[in-house]
Amino acid sequence: MDRVPVDRRQLAALMALTFSTGVVDAVSYLGLDRVFTGNMTGNVVLLGLALTGAAGLSVVGASAALVGFLAGTTLGGRVVRGSTPGWNGRVTGLLAVVALVLGVLGVLLLVVEPVGRASLTTTTTTLGVAMGLQAAAARHVAVPDVSTVAVTNTLIGLGSDFALGTGRSQRRALQATVVALIVLGAVVGALLLRWHLVAGLGLATLVVASAAVLGRPDRSAR
């Protein structure tokens, strides 16, 4: 993926999406099925642990999150395929869909509490799809070190740049901010769970919707 210029509004929007991922992962792990729906590196590890029969972990839940995420990235990739690189109208549209999915899911969870394997799996899969769509949108924007759903590569870049004395201080600050925001999102998501399961999803919905508006280009490209 080629790197394209990103203005400050769009960078701020990506940062907001990174924060929202921390919130959603806190909800999915602590409040639902002990799986991650945004951070697939962690989720794949959880799947491996679940396969050994580790207590409290579900093979079905981890698999559902993984399948949902892959479905979301595939669908998102098809939507943006052939469009102008960077943040364009299709990226904005994908994020609007993510916000809609999170919002509708939150409303449904207010009415029906996710109890039982079927409801937990459905919820986990839906969140995985939403996070996959977000990841595909962020990938098309193509800002180095900002995937919005994972920080492993960001940490590698930060550590390597620091050890080798390479990279500008501005880039290091960006990398550190990405890590801090996903941690902060997880903290906020966990705290909101003390109030209600849906509180975190509500906040994530507002953040993603705001990011879609904030990052929207002046002239949407096809």
Side-chain angles (χ1 to χ4, degrees):
M1 181 70 66
D2 294 333
R3 298 181 181 181
V4 295
V6 178
D7 65 28
R8 291 184 178 181
R9 292 183 302 106
Q10 293 170 354
L11 182 58
L14 291 174
M15 292 298 190
L17 293 173
T18 302
F19 169 82
S20 71
T21 296
V23 175
V24 172
D25 268 343
V27 171
S28 64
Y29 186 85
L30 297 176
L32 292 171
D33 211 10
R34 307 293 283 186
V35 297
F36 297 116
T37 52
N39 182 354
M40 284 300 112
T41 301
N43 190 58
V44 169
V45 173
L46 291 177
L47 175 58
L49 296 177
L51 287 171
T52 70
L57 298 179
S58 166
V59 173
V60 174
S63 299
L66 180 60
V67 170
F69 188 87
L70 288 173
T73 55
T74 299
L75 177 59
R78 287 188 175 277
V79 170
V80 299
R81 184 176 61 181
S83 65
T84 305
W87 196 308
N88 55 41
R90 296 187 192 183
V91 169
T92 299
L94 281 177
L95 294 178
V97 171
V98 173
L100 178 62
V101 171
L102 293 176
V104 170
L105 184 59
V107 172
L108 291 176
L109 291 180
L110 277 176
V111 178
V112 181
E113 185 177 352
V115 177
R117 172 47 50 198
S119 59
L120 283 173
T121 300
T122 301
T123 303
T124 297
T125 304
T126 303
L127 284 175
V129 172
M131 292 296 96
L133 290 173
Q134 177 181 303
R139 184 173 187 275
H140 195 70
V141 178
V143 176
D145 301 313
V146 188
S147 73
T148 78
V149 294
V151 295
T152 301
N153 286 335
T154 305
L155 286 169
I156 292 172
L158 179 61
S160 297
D161 288 348
F162 184 79
L164 298 174
T166 59
R168 297 179 179 179
S169 59
Q170 184 177 7
R171 181 182 178 186
R172 293 179 188 174
L174 173 64
Q175 294 166 331
T177 301
V178 168
V179 176
L181 281 173
I182 205 164
V183 171
L184 178 61
V187 170
V188 172
L191 291 175
L192 288 175
L193 280 172
R194 299 180 181 180
W195 179 27
H196 196 284
L197 173 66
V198 177
L201 289 180
L203 175 60
T205 300
L206 292 175
V207 172
V208 175
S210 299
V213 174
L214 179 63
R216 183 178 58 186
D218 294 332
R219 293 182 178 179
S220 298
R222 294 184 178 181

